C-alpha cells in the first residue's frame, strides 16, 4: 500500500492517442477547498492506504490545485445523440482526466468532474454543484455494492464558491475512477474520419477487449473481424448492464449516447433514481418530459444507442449487414441476463415455461398497487411463511396479492427445494438498502452544513446492501411522504 499520492505510479495511455482526441489543460481549482469525504475502498483499488487520504497533497490534487504527479491532465472530446437527436460535438465540458494508476487489479483512470471550463464547455460554467456531486459520489458505490458495473468515486471536495443554477448553489469536485471514460459518443465523434476511428478502436480493443483481436487471429486479424467481435462484446456488456438496471429498479435518467460507457459500465450519474413505488413507465428525470428514458424504455433505448455505435463503425468500411447481425444479439443476451437475475430474485431453480407469465403478473401487481419495488421483492422470500408482512405492501387490493402469492407458492413447490436454500438465494439478490432519492437528499442536506456523517452511513449500508444492519431500519423503510415531491432534473 502506498501512503502518499506522489508515490503513485501514474501514466496516461489516453494521452498517447493523436492530439485531436483531447486538449491538454489544467483544471481551475476551487477556492478554499475542503475534503468532505474520501473513499478508502476505492483508494485501495488504486493501491493507496487510508493514510494517503490525509496527506495534504491529496486535497491539492483532487481540488484541481495541483497536477497528479506523473500524469498528463486533459479534457477529451466526444459527440453524441441527446434525447434521440444528433447533438454534434460535446466532450469533457467540466471534467479533467488526471492520469491512470496501475492498481493491484489493473489500471484505473482518475478524472475530476466539476473542475472548470474546457474547450468543450459550450455555454456551461465548467462547474458541478454539491447536490449533484453528492449524488454521483454515492451512486457509484451503491451500484458497486449491488454488483452492477459502474464507475467509482474516490473523493468529494467542496467549497463555498457560488454556482448559478435555478438558485445559487455551491461548487464541488468529484474524483471519478474507471478503467476508461470512453463512450459510444467517442466513436460517433470520429465516424467521418477513418484514421481517427481506427486509432480509437485499436486503443480500446488493445486495452480492454484484447480477446476480440486474439480470437480474430491476433496481429494478422482482418479489421472487419475484430470490429464485429468488438461490437458483439459491447452489445453483450450493454445488454447485461441494462438487465441489471431493470432488476434493481434503477433508472439512469439520461441515456444519451455520450453517457453510454464503451465498457458497459454505468456512467454519468445525474438525474438517476432507484424506484420507490413501482411504475412500469416511471420517469426519474424531471427534464425528460416525453419519458424517453422511462424504466420500461431503457432496454430498447440501449439497443437504439448500440445502433448509433454501429453506425459510427460503418466509417471503417464494415458491411452493414454484418454489423446488424451483431446488434440482433441484444435481445437474447438481455433476456437471458434479465431472466437470470429474476430467477434469483424470485428464488427459482430454473426459468421454466410459464415463469414469464408469473413475472408479468408480478409486475402488474406492483404497478397497479404502486407497491415499493425494493420492499416487495425483499418480502417475497418469507411470504410463503409470513403472508401478513408481505400483504402489507399491497394495501389497495390484498386479494389480488394473495391470489398471486398462491400461484407463486405452487411454482415453488414444483422446485421442491428447502426454504432455507431458496431464501438465501433471494436475500442475496433482493437488497435491503438502495440509494433512494430521499436518502441521498438527507446526505446532501447534511453535506451542505459541512457534515459528511450521512454520506459515511449510506456508504457503509450500501456497500453491503443485502445484509440488514440492526439500528438502521429507517434506511430500509418505505420513503416518507415528502420523498414523492423531490424532483431531480438535468440541472447539475
Ligand atoms: P451531461 O448531460 O451531464 O451528460 O452533459 C452533457 C454535456 O454537457 C457534456 O459534454 C458535459 O461535459 C457538458 N456539461 C454539462 N454541464 C456542464 C457545465 N456546467 N459546464 C460545462 N459543460 C457542461
Ligand atoms: Mg455526460
Amino acid at each position: 500500500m502506498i501512503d502518499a499520492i506522489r508515490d503513485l505510479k501514474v501514466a496516461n495511455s489516453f494521452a498517447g492517442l493523436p492530439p485531436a482526441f483531447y486538449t491538454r489543460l489544467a483544471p481551475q481549482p476551487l477556492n478554499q477547498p475542503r475534503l468532505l469525504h474520501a473513499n478508502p475502498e476505492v483508494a485501495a483499488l488504486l493501491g493507496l492506504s487510508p493514510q494517503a487520504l490525509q496527506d495534504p497533497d491529496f486535497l491539492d490534487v483532487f481540488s484541481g490545485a495541483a497536477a497528479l504527479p506523473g500524469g498528463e491532465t486533459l479534457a477529451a472530446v466526444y459527440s453524441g445523440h441527446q434525447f434521440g437527436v444528433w447533438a454534434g460535438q460535446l466532450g469533457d465540458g467540466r471534467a479533467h482526466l488526471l492520469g491512470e494508476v496501475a492498481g493491484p487489479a489493473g489500471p484505473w483512470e482518475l478524472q475530476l468532474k466539476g473542475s472548470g471550463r474546457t474547450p468543450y464547455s459550450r455555454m456551461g460554467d465548467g462547474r458541478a454543484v454539491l447536490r449533484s456531486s453528492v449524488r454521483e459520489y454515492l451512486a457509484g458505490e451503491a451500484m458497486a455494492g449491488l454488483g452492477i458495473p459502474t464507475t467509482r468515486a474516490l473523493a468529494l471536495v467542496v467549497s463555498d464558491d457560488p454556482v448559478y443554477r435555478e438558485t445559487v448553489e455551491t461548487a464541488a469536485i468529484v474524483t471519478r475512477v474507471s478503467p476508461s471514460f470512453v463512450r459510444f459518443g467517442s466513436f460517433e465523434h470520429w465516424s467521418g474520419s477513418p484514421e481517427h476511428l481506427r486509432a480509437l478502436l485499436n486503443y480500446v480493443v488493445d486495452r480492454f477487449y484484447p480477446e476480440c483481436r486474439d480470437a480474430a487471429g491476433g496481429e494478422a486479424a482482418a479489421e472487419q473481424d475484430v470490429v464485429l467481435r468488438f461490437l458483439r462484446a459491447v452489445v453483450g456488456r450493454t445488454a447485461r448492464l441494462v438487465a441489471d438496471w431493470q432488476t434493481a429498479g434503477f433508472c439512469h435518467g439520461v441515456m444519451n449516447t455520450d453517457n453510454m460507457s464503451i465498457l458497459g459500465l454505468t456512467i454519468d450519474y445525474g438525474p438517476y433514481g432507484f424506484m420507490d413505488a413501482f411504475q412500469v413507465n416511471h420517469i426519474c428525470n424531471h427534464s425528460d418530459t416525453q419519458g424517453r428514458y422511462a424504466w420500461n424504455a431503457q432496454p430498447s433505448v440501449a439497443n437504439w444507442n448500440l445502433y448509433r455505435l454501429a453506425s459510427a463503425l460503418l466509417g471503417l468500411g464494415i458491411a452493414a449487414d454484418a454489423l446488424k447481425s451483431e446488434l440482433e444479439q441484444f435481445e437474447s443476451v438481455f433476456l437471458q441476463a434479465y431472466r437470470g437475475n429474476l430467477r434469483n430474485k424470485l428464488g427459482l431453480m430454473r426459468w421454466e415455461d410459464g415463469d414469464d407469465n408469473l413475472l408479468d403478473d408480478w409486475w402488474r401487481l406492483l404497478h397497479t398497487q404502486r407497491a415499493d419495488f425494493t420492499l416487495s421483492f425483499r418480502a417475497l422470500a418469507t411470504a410463503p411463511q409470513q403472508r401478513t408482512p408481505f400483504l402489507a405492501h399491497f394495501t389497495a387490493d390484498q386479494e389480488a396479492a394473495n391470489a398471486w402469492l398462491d400461484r407463486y407458492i405452487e411454482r415453488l413447490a414444483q422446485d421442491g427445494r428447502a426454504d432455507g436454500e431458496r431464501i438465501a438465494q433471494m436475500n442475496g439478490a433482493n437488497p435491503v438498502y438502495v440509494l433512494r432519492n430521499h436518502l441521498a437528499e438527507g446526505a446532501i442536506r447534511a453535506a451542505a452544513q459541512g457534515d459528511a456523517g450521512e454520506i459515511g452511513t449510506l456508504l457503509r449500508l450500501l456497500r453491503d446492501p443485502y445484509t440488514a444492519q440492526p439500528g438502521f431500519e429507517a434506511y430500509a423503510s418505505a420513503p416518507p411522504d415528502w420523498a414523492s415531491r423531490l424532483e431531480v432534473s438535468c440541472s447539475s
Side-chain angles (χ1 to χ4, degrees):
M1 282 285 178
I2 295 164
D3 296 327
I5 289 283
R6 63 185 163 281
D7 296 330
L8 277 176
K9 269 207 188 55
V10 182
N12 191 337
S13 63
F14 193 84
L17 284 165
F21 280 88
Y22 53 82
T23 301
R24 289 180 196 240
L25 80 174
Q28 289 143 22
L30 297 176
N31 289 300
Q32 291 162 331
R34 301 177 295 277
L35 181 62
L36 185 68
H37 205 272
N39 189 342
E41 304 245 327
V42 172
L45 294 176
L46 306 173
L48 283 174
S49 73
Q51 196 185 322
L53 311 179
Q54 313 294 327
D55 185 358
D57 287 354
F58 189 88
L59 177 59
D60 284 349
V61 169
F62 299 116
S63 64
L68 185 63
E72 289 174 88
T73 307
L74 60 85
V77 71
Y78 52 82
S79 290
H81 281 82
Q82 298 184 315
F83 290 91
V85 178
W86 175 243
Q89 184 191 297
L90 303 164
D92 292 333
R94 50 173 170 172
H96 293 75
L97 179 65
L98 300 181
E100 149 198 336
V101 170
W108 294 96
E109 288 187 343
L110 275 67
Q111 186 199 59
L112 304 182
K113 180 169 176 180
S115 40
R117 290 183 53 84
T118 77
Y120 317 114
S121 299
R122 297 173 296 150
M123 306 298 284
D125 58 6
R127 291 302 181 197
V129 297
L130 174 69
R131 162 178 58 80
S132 65
S133 303
V134 170
R135 285 173 51 87
E136 175 133 28
Y137 188 75
L138 293 170
E141 299 313 292
M143 293 298 259
L146 289 167
I148 301 179
T150 180
T151 63
R152 306 289 295 268
L154 173 67
L156 175 58
V157 173
V158 301
S159 137
D160 294 330
D161 290 347
V163 179
Y164 300 91
R165 296 292 182 262
E166 286 77 5
T167 60
V168 186
E169 300 185 49
T170 57
I173 294 179
V174 179
T175 300
R176 303 195 294 186
V177 173
S178 175
S180 174
F181 293 93
V182 171
R183 299 132 194 280
F184 289 12
S186 312
F187 284 83
E188 290 179 278
H189 186 72
W190 297 111
S191 63
S193 172
E195 311 88 271
H196 290 100
L197 194 54
R198 185 163 290 125
L200 182 62
L201 173 83
N202 288 334
Y203 171 75
V204 170
V205 168
D206 289 346
R207 283 186 74 73
F208 305 108
Y209 293 95
E211 67 284 3
C212 295
R213 194 185 306 285
D214 294 346
E219 287 311 310
E223 184 172 75
Q224 163 142 338
D225 201 1
V226 178
V227 171
L228 294 176
R229 285 172 193 277
F230 165 66
L231 181 61
R232 188 180 314 165
V234 178
V235 167
R237 287 200 198 185
T238 305
R240 286 189 291 271
L241 175 70
V242 177
D244 285 351
W245 288 357
Q246 297 309 98
T247 55
F250 175 82
C251 300
H252 181 283
V254 205
M255 289 177 69
N256 295 336
T257 56
D258 53 301
N259 292 337
M260 297 291 292
S261 158
I262 202 68
L263 302 185
L265 309 172
T266 317
I267 191 173
D268 280 14
Y269 292 98
Y272 68 85
F274 286 88
M275 264 192 270
D276 294 319
F278 178 71
Q279 200 177 351
V280 285
N281 51 352
H282 176 75
I283 304 166
C284 64
N285 176 2
H286 194 67
S287 314
D288 181 10
T289 47
Q290 306 292 310
R292 179 178 173 84
Y293 300 136
W295 179 80
N296 58 347
Q298 293 189 124
S300 61
V301 168
N303 199 6
W304 189 89
N305 289 344
L306 286 160
Y307 270 81
R308 305 285 75 73
L309 173 64
S311 300
L313 297 172
L314 282 172
L316 291 168
I318 313 294
D321 284 357
L323 290 167
K324 194 147 180 281
S325 64
E326 299 304 338
L327 292 165
E328 281 163 2
Q329 302 304 307
F330 180 89
E331 188 174 336
S332 64
V333 179
F334 170 80
L335 276 178
Q336 195 188 349
Y338 178 74
R339 288 180 181 141
N341 289 352
L342 283 157
R343 186 179 65 76
N344 288 326
K345 288 177 83 73
L346 296 175
L348 306 175
M349 284 171 74
R350 276 173 303 278
W351 198 260
E352 307 273 8
D353 289 347
D355 289 343
D356 282 323
N357 235 325
L358 187 70
L359 175 64
D360 279 351
D361 291 339
W362 169 245
W363 291 134
R364 192 163 297 121
L365 189 67
L366 293 180
H367 176 87
T368 50
Q369 306 207 32
R370 297 291 188 271
D372 188 90
F373 187 100
T374 304
L375 296 178
S376 303
F377 269 107
R378 184 74 182 191
L380 195 52
T382 49
Q385 293 83 5
Q386 302 168 30
R387 279 184 184 248
T388 314
F390 172 76
L391 293 174
H393 299 294
F394 300 91
T395 44
D397 185 356
Q398 296 215 326
E399 224 166 283
N402 227 344
W404 186 87
L405 185 54
D406 286 338
R407 285 170 58 202
Y408 174 64
I409 291 170
E410 235 171 83
R411 171 63 184 84
L412 293 181
Q414 213 176 299
D415 281 352
R417 250 196 325 171
D419 280 335
E421 197 182 306
R422 174 184 57 78
I423 290 171
Q425 177 192 9
M426 295 176 77
N427 285 352
N430 295 313
V432 181
Y433 308 106
V434 292
L435 183 55
R436 297 173 187 269
N437 272 339
H438 78 279
L439 296 177
E441 185 66 20
I444 292 165
R445 287 181 191 170
Q449 306 300 315
D451 175 3
E454 204 51 31
I455 293 177
T457 301
L458 287 177
L459 288 185
R460 210 163 51 246
L461 297 175
L462 295 170
R463 222 163 251 156
D464 180 17
Y466 301 105
T467 307
Q469 310 285 347
F472 292 91
E473 289 73 17
Y475 294 81
S477 309
D481 286 342
W482 59 266
S484 62
R485 293 188 292 277
L486 282 173
E487 276 175 6
V488 289
S489 70
C490 282
S491 157
S492 61

